Amino acid sequence: MKLDAPVPGGPCWAELGTSDLQAAKRFYAELFGWRAETDPRQEAGGYTVAHLGEAAVAALTPLYQKGQPCAWNVSFAVTDADVSARLVTEAGGKVLVGPMDVFDVGRFVVALDPGGAAFQLWQARAFPGAGLFNAPGSLGWVELLTRDPDRAETFYTTVFGWTVSSSENYLQWGVGGADFGGMIRMDDEKFPPEVPPHWLPYFAVADVDASAATATEAGGTALMEPTSVPDGPRIAVLRDPQGAAFGVYRAGDEG
């Protein structure tokens, strides 16, 4: 990812909703070396921030709604959550939660794109988002998996003004030409109908093969074994013991 700090329109945070918060803390501590701090306030609902050193890098939360899947969610920085929420609905998406204030730290929206992929908007106040990107254990890439890439491209460029660069098999999203993510078309062969469109965060690691082995030894599974992308990074897609999918890639391979 060419971005190294939260900027309007870019990814600023990754947040895990999990059915077993304590197990998730242990798993990601072993995999990424995260130090988890749970907000003790009752109204925070168990919200837990993971750190590398002093830098906040991601969040772990209990499941807040009935039927909510265990999944990673990606937040994108916006300057005005209310305006961006209106753009989402005008462009054919749906607002599920908010806009709402989160204490004094920011304003928050949960939305669906027209294909059904969930994402979040974050208008920063006291908390801008992740304090570290592209380093081992931190967010370095985000990828949309969708069954309707043409509609998704129109939607996200309308809502966020993203720049787009395309090769034969892959589209990359950017802010002002600084690429931070990509998009993959979901086909029925690799993605059964029950797998919904979704955003997949990728975290940087020093060694993809070693990280995949650590994940499986800690009770996770490899959805895509470590592989080297032609003219790209070495990556793997993993699933934690509670079922949330995420990717890893070799730090230093980002574009």
Side-chain angles (χ1 to χ4, degrees):
M1 180 162 63
K2 294 179 180 177
L3 303 176
D4 58 8
V7 300
C12 64
W13 194 235
E15 191 174 276
L16 172 69
T18 182
S19 58
D20 191 333
L21 183 59
Q22 295 306 317
K25 287 181 184 180
R26 293 191 296 271
F27 176 82
Y28 289 100
E30 186 169 349
L31 181 60
F32 294 138
W34 287 352
R35 172 177 55 83
E37 294 183 359
T38 300
D39 191 321
R41 293 173 291 185
Q42 184 175 358
E43 58 269 34
Y47 197 88
T48 299
V49 175
H51 296 79
L52 284 172
E54 296 305 311
V57 291
L60 314 174
T61 78
L63 300 179
Y64 294 130
Q65 297 180 358
K66 186 177 180 179
Q68 180 183 349
C70 295
W72 277 98
N73 299 289
V74 176
S75 295
F76 297 95
V78 296
T79 55
D80 189 318
D82 296 77
V83 169
S84 294
R86 287 200 300 271
L87 288 173
V88 166
T89 57
E90 290 169 1
K94 182 179 181 180
V95 172
L96 299 180
V97 177
M100 61 179 288
D101 291 329
V102 181
F103 303 116
D104 64 342
V105 296
R107 194 157 172 80
F108 177 68
V109 175
V110 180
L112 296 177
D113 71 17
F119 64 100
Q120 299 173 170
L121 308 175
W122 181 251
Q123 177 188 340
R125 290 175 179 156
F127 180 70
L132 186 67
F133 292 89
N134 305 317
S138 67
L139 186 66
W141 193 253
V142 296
E143 194 168 73
L144 173 66
L145 291 86
T146 180
R147 291 185 169 83
D148 192 346
D150 292 337
R151 192 176 185 192
E153 181 178 350
T154 299
F155 173 80
Y156 287 104
T157 54
T158 298
V159 172
F160 294 112
W162 289 346
T163 53
V164 172
S165 60
S166 298
S167 62
E168 183 178 352
N169 298 313
Y170 197 66
L171 177 147
Q172 294 191 173
W173 308 110
V175 174
D179 292 342
F180 61 78
M183 179 169 63
I184 289 179
R185 179 194 293 271
M186 302 173 72
D187 59 48
D188 292 337
E189 181 180 346
K190 294 181 180 178
F191 300 96
E194 62 268 21
V195 178
H198 58 281
W199 279 94
L200 185 73
Y202 277 78
F203 298 95
V205 294
D207 186 318
V208 169
D209 298 74
S211 294
T214 297
T216 55
E217 290 166 4
T221 55
L223 298 177
M224 184 181 75
E225 296 289 346
T227 185
S228 294
V229 177
D231 300 318
R234 188 158 181 79
I235 64 173
V237 178
L238 310 173
R239 184 166 56 199
D240 71 21
Q242 285 68 53
F246 61 99
V248 295
Y249 75 97
R250 185 169 54 206
D253 285 351
E254 63 273 4

